[in-house]
Amino acid sequence: PAFEEALLLGGDYDISGNNLGVMFIQRRQFAQAESVMTLAIAHLPDQSVSIYQNLAAAMIDNGQLAPAESVIVAYEKAHGVVDAMEVYRSGVLYAEGHVDSARAIVTRMQASPNLQYRARAYYVDAGFDEMHGQLGAAIRTFDQARATNRALGAFTPLLGDSLEPVLFDAWFR
């Protein structure tokens, strides 16, 4: 209610709407996250891709695949197709059982000149491999993601590099 009242007063609340929505997502309160982010987008539709991504993610996590796809389409109508939203489309497709279509998007993103999107695609692809019990392939793809992150200058702790594949290996045994 307080956030809704603040929006009615005017101002630039895209960041606070996104942050409040992320807080609700972390608490697994998807309806509240969707409400806050939808309201913020309605108030300022031409805002950062992040709020659209987080809204789509909340809907995917809540099993609302068609609404999540509509968020992606709405963003693309306003801003064009961008890799930043395509990863969420792959999530919708994967959740709908269209694994080959989801992988096609991720494979295309792995060729992106944008290293940040490329790394994200590798992580998603590794997740697909994990879900199908292909742990060797997942670990190799994680290695590609981490190498891409290092090329970006992103800090990747050695312990994190070592633990992630071990945790996934243990999880699936």
Side-chain angles (χ1 to χ4, degrees), residues 55-162:
L55 177 56
M59 291 173 165
I60 291 167
D61 288 346
N62 203 24
Q64 298 178 345
L65 304 179
E69 178 66 22
S70 71
V71 168
I72 295 165
V73 168
Y75 185 84
E76 289 175 345
K77 280 184 182 177
H79 305 282
V81 176
V82 294
D83 284 342
M85 290 302 285
E86 282 290 88
V87 71
Y88 292 92
R89 175 166 283 123
S90 74
V92 169
L93 290 167
Y94 188 86
E96 291 174 336
H98 305 292
V99 177
D100 291 340
S101 298
R103 279 202 186 253
I105 289 172
V106 171
T107 299
R108 182 188 54 73
M109 287 179 64
Q110 288 171 348
S112 173
N114 184 315
L115 293 179
Q116 188 175 17
Y117 296 142
R118 189 182 309 170
R120 182 81 183 269
Y122 286 133
Y123 281 118
V124 171
D125 198 20
F128 291 164
D129 288 336
E130 289 168 357
M131 294 301 294
H132 292 275
Q134 301 168 342
L135 299 180
I139 289 170
R140 286 188 298 277
T141 308
F142 271 124
D143 288 342
Q144 290 176 297
R146 286 189 288 275
T148 305
N149 274 337
R150 280 191 293 277
L152 278 166
F155 174 69
T156 309
L158 293 176
L159 185 59
D161 277 355
S162 301

Side-chain angles (χ1 to χ4, degrees), residues 23-72:
M23 181 194 73
F24 284 130
I25 290 169
Q26 291 170 340
R27 293 179 179 174
R28 304 199 57 76
Q29 296 173 329
F30 300 117
Q32 292 93 329
E34 290 174 33
S35 175
V36 166
M37 288 189 271
T38 301
L39 189 60
I41 289 170
H43 181 70
L44 292 167
D46 194 30
Q47 52 184 300
S48 163
V49 68
S50 296
I51 195 166
Y52 288 89
Q53 291 172 321
N54 290 328
L55 177 56
M59 291 173 165
I60 291 167
D61 288 346
N62 203 24
Q64 298 178 345
L65 304 179
E69 178 66 22
S70 71
V71 168
I72 295 165

